[in-house]
Amino acid sequence: MSFSGEVKEELEQNISSSRHCQIAELAAMVCCSGRIEQSSGGHASLSIQSENEKVIRKCFTLLQKSFNIGTGVADKGPYSLKIREDEQVKTLLAALKLSLPGEQSGKTDIVNPLLIKNACCRRAFLRGAYLVIGSMSDPEKSYHLEFVCSTEGQAVQMQEIIRDFGIEARIIIRKNHYVVYLKEGTGIVDLLNVMGAHVSLMNLENLRIVKEMRNSINRRVNCETANITKTVNASSKQVKDIKLIQEREGLDSLQEGLREAALIRLEYPDATLKELGQYLNPPVGKSGINHRLRKLSEIADRIRGV
């Protein structure tokens, strides 16, 4: 199962004990994924569809707990349910503050603000929205959580609710949809906490720790490799410079300190500057040995006519 699927499985099992939160979550599911129809004879029906069976199961549970609607629900395979009883549909729409097609009492793409005025209800709203239109990438590869909204108004409402919890979310247009997304690991962790996906949160945090440790080790190895390469290249040039001086003018032509530095570098071509300084008697610091080797380089460049 994907990480996104694990989050949905956990959210499906998270049932609020408060009816107002159950209604807020159900409202999000209906607004984001529901379809309200009315026949020519005035008969109303409401259907909810999803690619995930757990979403339908959660919706069915909320309908039973909040409205005692069960017998009027007809399964059409594992991915949808439909309420056909006219009175049940109208009772449900009234509680969700939604209108029938053709009525002008309000929008059906966003949840009525009165249903999500409490923080607990906004948390429930986000749970329901994630179940029907949310998804998350594999955190092993990247951090990305998104809600694919059908309208701009729906996306703006989603963004505002997420921001109410101090979490930054952005909106982009992808094909014909408005996508509300988060790309920061910290923000995604906070949102999982808000929605009540605490097990998924801990799993994500563990993955983040391992990923950060791996990245830290890689950075350190890369840094050490770069330093070794730099040291080897510098040492190779120093040996070439010293051998040039030795061939053209002889090391005896050098001042004592430079001659000692030249001989010790020829003897220990792979040693670091600090190690070279320790081999001298008396020992010389890293900056001191570096100064002498620079002088030798200057002499070699003079010989080359650089």
Side-chain angles (χ1 to χ4, degrees):
M1 183 186 297
S2 67
F3 190 88
S4 184
E6 291 176 1
V7 174
K8 290 190 177 185
E9 184 172 50
E10 184 176 2
L11 294 181
E12 183 238 330
Q13 297 170 7
N14 188 331
I15 308 292
S16 174
S17 59
S18 302
R19 186 171 185 267
H20 50 82
C21 291
Q22 295 171 6
I23 290 175
E25 184 170 357
L26 193 57
M29 298 173 80
V30 171
C31 287
C32 294
S33 186
R35 181 183 179 89
I36 303 169
E37 298 175 312
Q38 190 172 32
S39 67
S40 56
H43 185 81
S45 66
L46 181 129
S47 60
I48 297 177
Q49 296 182 335
S50 173
E51 297 179 356
N52 192 320
E53 184 179 4
K54 296 179 179 61
V55 174
I56 300 302
R57 198 158 56 220
K58 178 67 174 288
C59 188
F60 186 88
T61 300
L62 292 174
L63 286 169
Q64 284 186 315
K65 286 184 173 294
S66 300
F67 299 96
N68 197 29
I69 295 176
T71 56
V73 176
D75 283 318
K76 290 174 58 181
Y79 304 113
S80 66
L81 59 79
K82 189 167 188 177
I83 306 173
R84 302 177 185 276
E85 295 294 331
D86 188 67
E87 288 303 317
Q88 289 183 341
V89 174
K90 291 179 178 178
T91 298
L92 179 59
L93 293 181
L96 302 182
K97 301 189 183 303
L98 296 173
S99 53
L100 288 167
E103 295 181 356
Q104 301 299 319
S105 57
K107 297 181 178 180
T108 59
D109 62 323
I110 62 173
V111 173
N112 191 299
L114 292 176
L115 297 179
I116 49 175
K117 60 182 180 179
N118 298 325
C120 58
C121 293
R122 290 195 291 274
R123 291 173 185 271
F125 166 90
L126 291 172
R127 274 200 301 274
Y130 183 84
L131 280 168
V132 292
I133 60 171
S135 64
M136 184 175 168
S137 65
D138 181 357
E140 287 273 14
K141 299 177 181 177
S142 64
Y143 300 129
H144 184 90
L145 186 150
E146 66 180 31
F147 298 85
V148 181
C149 303
S150 57
T151 67
E152 183 178 11
Q154 194 176 89
V156 170
Q157 182 181 52
M158 192 79 62
Q159 182 186 46
E160 289 175 348
I161 292 173
I162 292 172
R163 285 179 172 176
D164 283 344
F165 292 98
I167 304 169
E168 183 60 31
R170 300 181 182 277
I171 298 174
I172 58 169
I173 299 175
R174 184 190 300 154
K175 297 182 180 178
N176 295 322
H177 294 88
Y178 294 83
V179 181
V180 182
Y181 71 95
L182 292 79
K183 292 191 73 69
E184 294 294 331
T186 301
I188 293 174
V189 165
D190 290 342
L191 185 58
L192 291 176
N193 183 49
V194 167
M195 294 190 297
H198 303 301
V199 174
S200 298
L201 182 157
M202 293 304 298
N203 291 337
L204 176 57
E205 284 285 48
N206 290 336
L207 287 172
R208 288 181 70 204
I209 291 171
V210 172
K211 193 174 182 179
E212 182 56 36
M213 287 180 62
R214 188 185 302 131
N215 290 340
S216 178
I217 291 171
N218 287 338
R219 285 193 297 269
R220 185 175 299 177
V221 169
N222 291 338
C223 182
E224 290 178 354
T225 301
N227 288 337
I228 291 172
T229 302
K230 183 178 178 182
T231 299
V232 170
N233 290 340
S235 174
S236 177
K237 183 180 184 304
Q238 291 160 6
V239 170
K240 288 180 180 179
D241 290 342
I242 294 167
K243 286 184 176 180
L244 177 64
I245 297 170
Q246 189 177 36
E247 292 172 0
R248 297 288 185 86
E249 299 182 353
L251 298 184
D252 289 339
S253 65
L254 300 172
Q255 297 177 3
E256 184 179 357
L258 294 180
R259 185 170 63 255
E260 289 178 346
L263 291 171
I264 206 70
R265 171 49 88 193
L266 290 176
E267 186 176 356
Y268 300 102
D270 297 327
T272 64
L273 294 179
K274 184 177 180 181
E275 290 169 344
L276 286 178
Q278 294 299 313
Y279 292 145
L280 294 174
N281 187 20
V284 176
K286 181 179 176 180
S287 60
I289 194 69
N290 188 46
H291 174 74
R292 296 184 188 187
L293 291 171
R294 273 206 311 268
K295 286 291 186 181
L296 291 170
S297 178
E298 291 173 4
I299 293 171
D301 286 341
R302 175 180 58 76
I303 294 172
R304 294 188 185 98
V306 177

